[in-house]
Coordinates of all heavy atoms in Angstrom, one line a residue:
M861 N 157.6 72.6 -113.7 CA 158.1 72.7 -112.3 C 158.1 74.2 -111.9 O 158.6 75.0 -112.6 CB 159.5 72.2 -112.3 CG 160.1 72.3 -111.0 SD 161.7 71.5 -111.0 CE 162.1 71.5 -109.3
M862 N 157.4 74.5 -110.8 CA 157.3 75.8 -110.3 C 158.5 76.1 -109.4 O 158.7 75.4 -108.4 CB 156.0 76.0 -109.5 CG 154.8 75.9 -110.3 SD 154.6 77.2 -111.5 CE 153.7 78.4 -110.6
L863 N 159.3 77.1 -109.7 CA 160.4 77.5 -108.9 C 160.1 78.8 -108.1 O 159.6 79.7 -108.7 CB 161.6 77.8 -109.8 CG 162.1 76.7 -110.7 CD1 163.3 77.2 -111.6 CD2 162.7 75.6 -109.8
P864 N 160.3 78.8 -106.8 CA 160.1 80.0 -106.0 C 161.2 81.0 -106.4 O 162.4 80.7 -106.5 CB 160.3 79.5 -104.6 CG 161.1 78.3 -104.7 CD 160.8 77.7 -106.0
V865 N 160.7 82.2 -106.7 CA 161.6 83.3 -107.2 C 161.7 84.4 -106.2 O 162.8 84.9 -105.8 CB 161.2 83.9 -108.5 CG1 162.1 85.0 -109.0 CG2 161.1 82.8 -109.6
F866 N 160.6 84.8 -105.6 CA 160.6 85.9 -104.7 C 159.6 85.6 -103.6 O 158.5 85.1 -103.8 CB 160.1 87.2 -105.4 CG 159.9 88.4 -104.5 CD1 161.0 89.1 -104.1 CD2 158.7 88.7 -104.1 CE1 160.9 90.2 -103.2 CE2 158.5 89.8 -103.2 CZ 159.6 90.5 -102.8
S867 N 160.0 85.9 -102.3 CA 159.2 85.8 -101.2 C 159.4 87.0 -100.3 O 160.5 87.1 -99.7 CB 159.5 84.5 -100.4 OG 158.7 84.4 -99.3
G868 N 158.5 87.9 -100.3 CA 158.6 89.1 -99.5 C 157.8 89.0 -98.2 O 157.4 87.9 -97.8
Q869 N 157.6 90.2 -97.6 CA 156.8 90.2 -96.3 C 155.4 89.8 -96.5 O 154.8 89.2 -95.6 CB 157.0 91.5 -95.6 CG 158.3 91.9 -95.1 CD 158.4 93.2 -94.5 OE1 157.6 94.1 -94.8 NE2 159.3 93.4 -93.5
N870 N 154.8 90.2 -97.6 CA 153.3 90.0 -97.8 C 153.0 89.2 -99.0 O 151.9 88.6 -99.1 CB 152.6 91.3 -97.9 CG 152.7 92.2 -96.6 OD1 152.5 91.7 -95.5 ND2 153.2 93.4 -96.7
F871 N 153.9 89.2 -100.0 CA 153.6 88.6 -101.3 C 154.8 87.8 -101.8 O 155.9 88.1 -101.4 CB 153.2 89.6 -102.3 CG 152.0 90.4 -101.9 CD1 152.1 91.7 -101.4 CD2 150.7 89.9 -102.0 CE1 151.0 92.4 -101.1 CE2 149.6 90.6 -101.6 CZ 149.7 91.9 -101.1
G872 N 154.6 87.0 -102.8 CA 155.7 86.3 -103.4 C 155.2 85.7 -104.8 O 154.1 85.9 -105.2
Y873 N 156.2 85.2 -105.5 CA 155.8 84.6 -106.8 C 156.7 83.4 -107.2 O 157.9 83.3 -106.7 CB 155.7 85.6 -107.9 CG 157.0 86.1 -108.5 CD1 157.7 85.5 -109.6 CD2 157.6 87.3 -108.0 CE1 158.9 86.0 -110.1 CE2 158.8 87.8 -108.5 CZ 159.4 87.2 -109.6 OH 160.5 87.7 -110.1
H874 N 156.2 82.5 -108.0 CA 156.9 81.3 -108.5 C 156.9 81.4 -110.0 O 156.0 82.1 -110.6 CB 156.2 80.0 -108.1 CG 156.3 79.7 -106.6 ND1 155.7 80.5 -105.6 CD2 157.0 78.7 -106.0 CE1 156.0 79.9 -104.5 NE2 156.8 78.9 -104.7
Y875 N 157.9 80.8 -110.6 CA 158.0 80.8 -112.1 C 158.0 79.4 -112.6 O 158.7 78.5 -112.0 CB 159.3 81.5 -112.5 CG 159.6 81.5 -113.9 CD1 158.9 82.2 -114.8 CD2 160.7 80.7 -114.4 CE1 159.2 82.2 -116.2 CE2 161.0 80.7 -115.8 CZ 160.2 81.5 -116.7 OH 160.5 81.5 -118.0
E876 N 157.2 79.1 -113.6 CA 157.1 77.8 -114.2 C 158.1 77.7 -115.4 O 157.9 78.4 -116.4 CB 155.7 77.4 -114.6 CG 155.5 76.0 -115.1 CD 154.1 75.6 -115.3 OE1 153.2 76.4 -114.9 OE2 153.9 74.6 -115.9
T877 N 159.2 76.9 -115.3 CA 160.2 77.0 -116.3 C 159.8 76.4 -117.6 O 160.3 76.9 -118.7 CB 161.4 76.2 -115.8 OG1 161.0 74.8 -115.5 CG2 162.1 76.8 -114.6
E878 N 158.9 75.4 -117.7 CA 158.5 74.8 -118.9 C 157.7 75.8 -119.8 O 157.7 75.7 -121.0 CB 157.8 73.5 -118.7 CG 158.6 72.4 -118.1 CD 158.6 72.5 -116.6 OE1 157.7 73.1 -116.0 OE2 159.5 71.9 -116.0
T879 N 156.8 76.6 -119.1 CA 155.9 77.4 -119.9 C 156.1 78.9 -119.8 O 155.6 79.6 -120.7 CB 154.5 77.1 -119.3 OG1 154.4 77.6 -117.9 CG2 154.1 75.7 -119.4
G880 N 156.9 79.3 -118.9 CA 157.2 80.8 -118.7 C 156.0 81.5 -118.0 O 155.9 82.7 -118.0
H881 N 155.2 80.7 -117.3 CA 154.1 81.3 -116.6 C 154.5 81.6 -115.1 O 155.5 81.1 -114.6 CB 152.9 80.3 -116.5 CG 152.4 80.0 -117.9 ND1 151.5 78.9 -118.2 CD2 152.6 80.5 -119.1 CE1 151.2 78.9 -119.4 NE2 151.9 79.8 -120.1
Y882 N 153.7 82.4 -114.5 CA 153.9 82.8 -113.1 C 152.8 82.5 -112.2 O 151.6 82.7 -112.6 CB 154.2 84.3 -113.0 CG 155.5 84.7 -113.7 CD1 155.5 85.1 -115.1 CD2 156.7 84.8 -113.0 CE1 156.7 85.4 -115.7 CE2 157.9 85.2 -113.6 CZ 157.9 85.5 -115.0 OH 159.0 85.8 -115.6
L883 N 153.1 82.2 -110.9 CA 152.1 82.1 -109.9 C 152.4 83.1 -108.8 O 153.4 83.1 -108.2 CB 152.1 80.7 -109.2 CG 151.2 80.5 -108.1 CD1 149.7 80.5 -108.5 CD2 151.5 79.2 -107.4
L884 N 151.5 84.1 -108.7 CA 151.6 85.2 -107.7 C 150.7 84.9 -106.6 O 149.6 84.4 -106.8 CB 151.2 86.5 -108.3 CG 152.1 87.2 -109.3 CD1 152.6 86.3 -110.4 CD2 151.5 88.5 -109.8
H885 N 151.2 85.1 -105.3 CA 150.4 84.7 -104.2 C 150.7 85.7 -103.0 O 151.7 86.4 -103.0 CB 150.7 83.3 -103.8 CG 152.2 83.1 -103.5 ND1 152.7 83.4 -102.3 CD2 153.2 82.7 -104.3 CE1 154.0 83.1 -102.3 NE2 154.3 82.7 -103.5
D886 N 149.7 85.6 -102.0 CA 150.0 86.4 -100.8 C 150.8 85.5 -99.9 O 151.1 84.3 -100.2 CB 148.7 86.8 -100.2 CG 147.8 85.7 -99.6 OD1 148.2 84.5 -99.9 OD2 146.8 86.0 -99.0
K887 N 151.2 86.0 -98.7 CA 152.0 85.3 -97.8 C 151.5 84.0 -97.4 O 152.3 83.0 -97.2 CB 152.3 86.2 -96.6 CG 153.1 85.7 -95.5 CD 153.2 86.7 -94.4 CE 153.6 86.1 -93.1 NZ 153.6 87.0 -92.0
D888 N 150.2 83.9 -97.2 CA 149.6 82.6 -96.6 C 149.0 81.8 -97.7 O 148.3 80.8 -97.4 CB 148.5 83.0 -95.6 CG 149.1 83.7 -94.4 OD1 150.2 83.4 -94.0 OD2 148.4 84.7 -94.0
F889 N 149.2 82.1 -99.0 CA 148.7 81.4 -100.2 C 147.1 81.3 -100.1 O 146.5 80.4 -100.7 CB 149.2 80.0 -100.2 CG 150.6 79.9 -100.8 CD1 151.7 80.0 -99.9 CD2 150.9 79.8 -102.1 CE1 153.0 80.0 -100.3 CE2 152.2 79.7 -102.6 CZ 153.3 79.8 -101.7
K890 N 146.5 82.3 -99.5 CA 145.1 82.4 -99.5 C 144.5 83.0 -100.8 O 143.4 82.7 -101.2 CB 144.6 83.2 -98.3 CG 144.8 82.5 -97.0 CD 144.3 83.2 -95.8 CE 144.6 82.5 -94.5 NZ 144.1 83.2 -93.3
T891 N 145.3 83.9 -101.3 CA 145.0 84.6 -102.6 C 146.1 84.3 -103.6 O 147.3 84.5 -103.2 CB 144.8 86.1 -102.4 OG1 143.8 86.3 -101.4 CG2 144.4 86.8 -103.6
H892 N 145.7 83.9 -104.8 CA 146.8 83.7 -105.8 C 146.2 83.9 -107.2 O 145.0 84.0 -107.3 CB 147.3 82.3 -105.7 CG 146.3 81.2 -105.9 ND1 145.4 80.8 -105.0 CD2 146.0 80.5 -107.1 CE1 144.7 79.9 -105.5 NE2 145.0 79.7 -106.8
I893 N 147.1 84.1 -108.1 CA 146.7 84.2 -109.5 C 147.8 83.6 -110.4 O 149.0 83.7 -110.0 CB 146.4 85.7 -109.9 CG1 145.8 85.8 -111.3 CG2 147.7 86.5 -109.8 CD1 145.3 87.2 -111.7
Y894 N 147.3 82.9 -111.5 CA 148.3 82.3 -112.4 C 148.3 83.1 -113.6 O 147.3 83.4 -114.3 CB 147.7 80.9 -112.7 CG 148.7 80.0 -113.4 CD1 149.8 79.4 -112.9 CD2 148.4 79.7 -114.8 CE1 150.6 78.6 -113.6 CE2 149.2 78.9 -115.5 CZ 150.4 78.3 -114.9 OH 151.2 77.5 -115.6
L895 N 149.5 83.6 -114.0 CA 149.7 84.5 -115.1 C 150.3 83.7 -116.3 O 151.3 83.0 -116.1 CB 150.6 85.7 -114.8 CG 150.2 86.6 -113.7 CD1 151.3 87.7 -113.5 CD2 148.9 87.2 -114.0
Q896 N 149.6 83.8 -117.5 CA 150.1 83.2 -118.7 C 149.9 84.1 -119.8 O 149.2 85.1 -119.7 CB 149.4 81.9 -118.9 CG 147.9 81.9 -119.0 CD 147.3 80.6 -119.0 OE1 148.0 79.5 -118.9 NE2 146.0 80.5 -119.1
G897 N 150.5 83.8 -120.9 CA 150.4 84.6 -122.1 C 150.8 86.1 -122.0 O 151.9 86.3 -121.4
D898 N 150.0 87.0 -122.4 CA 150.4 88.4 -122.4 C 150.6 88.9 -120.9 O 151.4 89.7 -120.7 CB 149.4 89.3 -123.1 CG 149.5 89.2 -124.6 OD1 150.5 88.8 -125.1 OD2 148.5 89.6 -125.3
D899 N 149.8 88.4 -120.0 CA 149.9 88.8 -118.6 C 151.3 88.4 -118.1 O 151.9 89.2 -117.4 CB 148.8 88.2 -117.8 CG 147.4 88.7 -118.1 OD1 147.3 89.9 -118.6 OD2 146.4 88.0 -118.0
A900 N 151.7 87.2 -118.4 CA 153.0 86.8 -117.9 C 154.1 87.6 -118.5 O 155.1 87.9 -117.9 CB 153.2 85.3 -118.2
R901 N 154.0 87.9 -119.8 CA 155.0 88.7 -120.5 C 155.1 90.1 -119.9 O 156.2 90.6 -119.6 CB 154.6 88.8 -122.0 CG 155.7 89.6 -122.8 CD 155.2 89.8 -124.2 NE 153.9 90.4 -124.4 CZ 153.6 91.7 -124.2 NH1 154.5 92.6 -123.9 NH2 152.3 92.1 -124.3
I902 N 154.0 90.7 -119.6 CA 153.9 92.1 -119.0 C 154.5 92.0 -117.6 O 155.3 92.9 -117.2 CB 152.5 92.7 -119.0 CG1 152.1 92.9 -120.4 CG2 152.4 93.9 -118.2 CD1 150.6 93.2 -120.6
F903 N 154.2 91.0 -116.8 CA 154.7 90.9 -115.5 C 156.3 90.7 -115.6 O 157.0 91.4 -114.8 CB 154.1 89.7 -114.8 CG 154.6 89.5 -113.4 CD1 154.3 90.3 -112.3 CD2 155.5 88.5 -113.1 CE1 154.7 90.2 -111.1 CE2 156.0 88.3 -111.8 CZ 155.6 89.1 -110.8
R904 N 156.7 89.9 -116.5 CA 158.2 89.7 -116.6 C 158.9 91.0 -117.0 O 159.9 91.3 -116.4 CB 158.4 88.7 -117.8 CG 159.9 88.3 -118.0 CD 160.1 87.2 -119.0 NE 159.1 86.1 -119.0 CZ 158.1 85.9 -119.9 NH1 158.0 86.7 -121.0 NH2 157.3 84.9 -119.8
E905 N 158.3 91.8 -117.9 CA 158.9 93.1 -118.2 C 158.9 94.0 -117.0 O 159.9 94.8 -116.9 CB 158.1 93.7 -119.4 CG 158.3 93.0 -120.7 CD 157.3 93.5 -121.8 OE1 156.6 94.5 -121.5 OE2 157.4 92.9 -122.9
E906 N 157.9 94.1 -116.2 CA 157.9 94.9 -115.0 C 159.0 94.5 -114.0 O 159.7 95.3 -113.5 CB 156.5 94.9 -114.4 CG 155.4 95.5 -115.2 CD 154.0 95.3 -114.7 OE1 153.8 94.4 -113.8 OE2 153.1 96.0 -115.1
I907 N 159.1 93.2 -113.9 CA 160.2 92.7 -112.9 C 161.5 93.0 -113.5 O 162.4 93.5 -112.7 CB 160.0 91.2 -112.7 CG1 158.7 90.9 -112.0 CG2 161.2 90.6 -111.9 CD1 158.6 91.5 -110.6
K908 N 161.8 92.9 -114.8 CA 163.1 93.2 -115.3 C 163.4 94.7 -115.2 O 164.5 95.1 -114.9 CB 163.1 92.9 -116.8 CG 163.3 91.4 -117.1 CD 163.4 91.1 -118.6 CE 163.5 89.6 -118.9 NZ 163.6 89.4 -120.3
H909 N 162.4 95.5 -115.3 CA 162.5 97.0 -115.1 C 162.9 97.3 -113.6 O 163.9 98.0 -113.4 CB 161.3 97.7 -115.5 CG 161.4 99.2 -115.2 ND1 162.2 100.0 -115.9 CD2 160.8 100.0 -114.2 CE1 162.1 101.3 -115.4 NE2 161.2 101.2 -114.4
I910 N 162.3 96.6 -112.7 CA 162.6 96.8 -111.3 C 164.0 96.4 -111.0 O 164.8 97.0 -110.3 CB 161.6 96.1 -110.4 CG1 160.2 96.8 -110.5 CG2 162.1 96.0 -109.0 CD1 159.1 96.0 -109.8
E911 N 164.4 95.2 -111.5 CA 165.7 94.7 -111.3 C 166.8 95.6 -111.9 O 168.0 95.5 -111.4 CB 165.8 93.3 -111.8 CG 165.0 92.3 -111.1 CD 165.0 90.9 -111.7 OE1 165.4 90.8 -112.9 OE2 164.5 90.0 -111.0
S912 N 166.5 96.4 -112.9 CA 167.5 97.2 -113.5 C 167.7 98.6 -112.9 O 168.6 99.3 -113.2 CB 167.1 97.4 -115.0 OG 166.0 98.3 -115.1
L913 N 166.9 98.9 -111.9 CA 167.0 100.2 -111.2 C 168.3 100.3 -110.4 O 168.7 99.3 -109.8 CB 165.8 100.4 -110.3 CG 164.4 100.5 -111.0 CD1 163.3 100.6 -110.0 CD2 164.4 101.8 -111.9
L914 N 168.8 101.4 -110.3 CA 170.0 101.7 -109.5 C 169.6 102.4 -108.2 O 168.6 103.0 -108.1 CB 171.0 102.6 -110.3 CG 171.5 102.1 -111.6 CD1 172.3 103.1 -112.4 CD2 172.3 100.8 -111.4
P915 N 170.5 102.3 -107.2 CA 170.2 103.0 -106.0 C 170.0 104.5 -106.2 O 170.7 105.0 -107.1 CB 171.4 102.7 -105.1 CG 172.1 101.5 -105.7 CD 171.7 101.5 -107.1
P916 N 169.2 105.2 -105.6 CA 168.3 104.8 -104.4 C 167.0 104.1 -104.8 O 166.3 103.8 -103.9 CB 168.1 106.1 -103.7 CG 168.0 107.1 -104.8 CD 169.0 106.6 -105.8
Q917 N 166.7 104.0 -106.1 CA 165.5 103.4 -106.5 C 165.5 101.8 -106.5 O 164.6 101.2 -106.9 CB 165.0 103.9 -107.8 CG 164.7 105.3 -107.9 CD 165.5 106.1 -108.9 OE1 166.5 105.5 -109.4 NE2 165.3 107.3 -109.1
S918 N 166.7 101.3 -106.2 CA 166.9 99.8 -106.4 C 165.8 99.1 -105.5 O 165.3 99.6 -104.5 CB 168.3 99.4 -106.0 OG 168.6 99.7 -104.7
N919 N 165.6 97.9 -105.9 CA 164.6 97.1 -105.3 C 165.0 96.5 -103.9 O 165.9 95.7 -103.8 CB 164.2 95.9 -106.3 CG 163.0 95.2 -105.8 OD1 162.3 95.6 -104.9 ND2 162.8 94.0 -106.4
D920 N 164.3 96.9 -102.9 CA 164.4 96.3 -101.6 C 163.3 95.2 -101.4 O 163.2 94.7 -100.2 CB 164.4 97.3 -100.5 CG 163.1 98.1 -100.4 OD1 162.2 97.8 -101.2 OD2 163.0 98.9 -99.5
G921 N 162.6 95.0 -102.4 CA 161.5 94.0 -102.3 C 160.1 94.7 -102.3 O 159.1 94.1 -102.7
S922 N 160.1 96.0 -101.9 CA 158.8 96.7 -101.8 C 158.2 96.9 -103.2 O 157.0 96.8 -103.3 CB 158.9 97.9 -101.0 OG 159.8 98.8 -101.6
L923 N 159.0 97.2 -104.1 CA 158.5 97.5 -105.5 C 157.9 96.2 -106.1 O 156.9 96.2 -106.7 CB 159.6 98.0 -106.4 CG 160.1 99.4 -106.1 CD1 161.3 99.8 -107.0 CD2 159.0 100.4 -106.2
T924 N 158.6 95.1 -105.9 CA 158.1 93.8 -106.4 C 156.8 93.5 -105.7 O 155.9 93.0 -106.3 CB 159.2 92.7 -106.1 OG1 160.4 93.1 -106.8 CG2 158.7 91.4 -106.7
E925 N 156.7 93.7 -104.4 CA 155.5 93.4 -103.7 C 154.4 94.3 -104.2 O 153.2 93.8 -104.3 CB 155.7 93.6 -102.2 CG 156.5 92.4 -101.6 CD 156.3 92.2 -100.1 OE1 155.1 92.0 -99.8 OE2 157.2 92.2 -99.4
N926 N 154.7 95.5 -104.5 CA 153.6 96.4 -105.0 C 153.1 95.9 -106.4 O 151.9 96.0 -106.6 CB 154.2 97.9 -105.2 CG 154.3 98.6 -103.8 OD1 153.6 98.2 -102.9 ND2 155.1 99.6 -103.8
I927 N 154.0 95.5 -107.2 CA 153.6 95.0 -108.5 C 152.7 93.7 -108.3 O 151.6 93.6 -109.0 CB 154.8 94.6 -109.4 CG1 155.6 95.9 -109.8 CG2 154.4 93.9 -110.7 CD1 154.8 96.9 -110.6
I928 N 153.1 92.8 -107.5 CA 152.3 91.6 -107.2 C 150.9 92.0 -106.7 O 149.9 91.5 -107.1 CB 153.0 90.7 -106.3 CG1 154.3 90.1 -106.9 CG2 152.1 89.5 -105.8 CD1 155.2 89.4 -106.0
S929 N 150.9 93.0 -105.8 CA 149.6 93.4 -105.2 C 148.6 93.9 -106.2 O 147.4 93.8 -106.1 CB 149.8 94.4 -104.0 OG 150.2 95.6 -104.5
L930 N 149.2 94.6 -107.3 CA 148.3 95.1 -108.3 C 147.6 94.0 -109.1 O 146.4 94.1 -109.5 CB 149.1 95.9 -109.3 CG 149.7 97.2 -108.8 CD1 150.6 97.8 -109.9 CD2 148.6 98.2 -108.4
Y931 N 148.2 92.8 -109.2 CA 147.6 91.7 -109.9 C 146.6 91.0 -109.0 O 145.7 90.4 -109.5 CB 148.7 90.7 -110.4 CG 149.4 91.2 -111.6 CD1 150.5 92.0 -111.5 CD2 148.9 90.9 -112.9 CE1 151.2 92.4 -112.7 CE2 149.6 91.3 -114.0 CZ 150.7 92.1 -113.9 OH 151.4 92.5 -115.0
L932 N 146.9 91.0 -107.7 CA 146.0 90.2 -106.8 C 144.8 91.1 -106.5 O 143.8 90.7 -106.1 CB 146.7 89.8 -105.5 CG 147.9 88.8 -105.7 CD1 148.6 88.5 -104.4 CD2 147.4 87.5 -106.3

C-alpha cells in the first residue's frame, strides 16, 4: 500500500509500507521514479537528515523537493 508522505509545490513522494520502497514524482505525475534497495535506503537517510535539521536550516519543504528533483 502506497502512503502519501510529502506533497510540495513541484514534487512529492509516497512510501510503500510492505516493502520500504518509495515512489517519487512531479506535481502532475508526468515524471516519476520507483526507488528500491540501496536507492530507497539512501533516500530514507537523506530525508531523516533533513528532518533532523534545526532552524534556520529546518525543512520548509524546499530541501525535500531538491532531493526529489535530484532523483528525477
Side-chain angles (χ1 to χ4, degrees):
M861 176 178 190
M862 295 295 270
L863 299 175
V865 177
F866 174 79
S867 181
Q869 290 182 333
N870 299 307
F871 303 102
Y873 74 90
H874 289 68
Y875 176 70
E876 188 171 345
T877 56
E878 294 88 20
T879 62
H881 300 168
Y882 292 89
L883 176 67
L884 284 54
H885 58 83
D886 69 352
K887 178 179 159 185
D888 300 322
F889 285 88
K890 291 182 180 178
T891 305
H892 65 276
I893 188 168
Y894 188 74
L895 300 180
Q896 57 188 2
D898 286 340
D899 293 330
R901 181 185 53 79
I902 292 167
F903 180 75
R904 184 178 318 112
E905 290 172 2
E906 292 172 345
I907 294 300
K908 284 183 183 179
H909 175 71
I910 289 171
E911 290 172 348
S912 71
L913 294 174
L914 299 174
Q917 295 123 351
S918 62
N919 187 12
D920 63 357
S922 62
L923 292 175
T924 302
E925 289 205 54
N926 285 339
I927 294 295
I928 295 170
S929 71
L930 292 174
Y931 283 90
L932 296 177

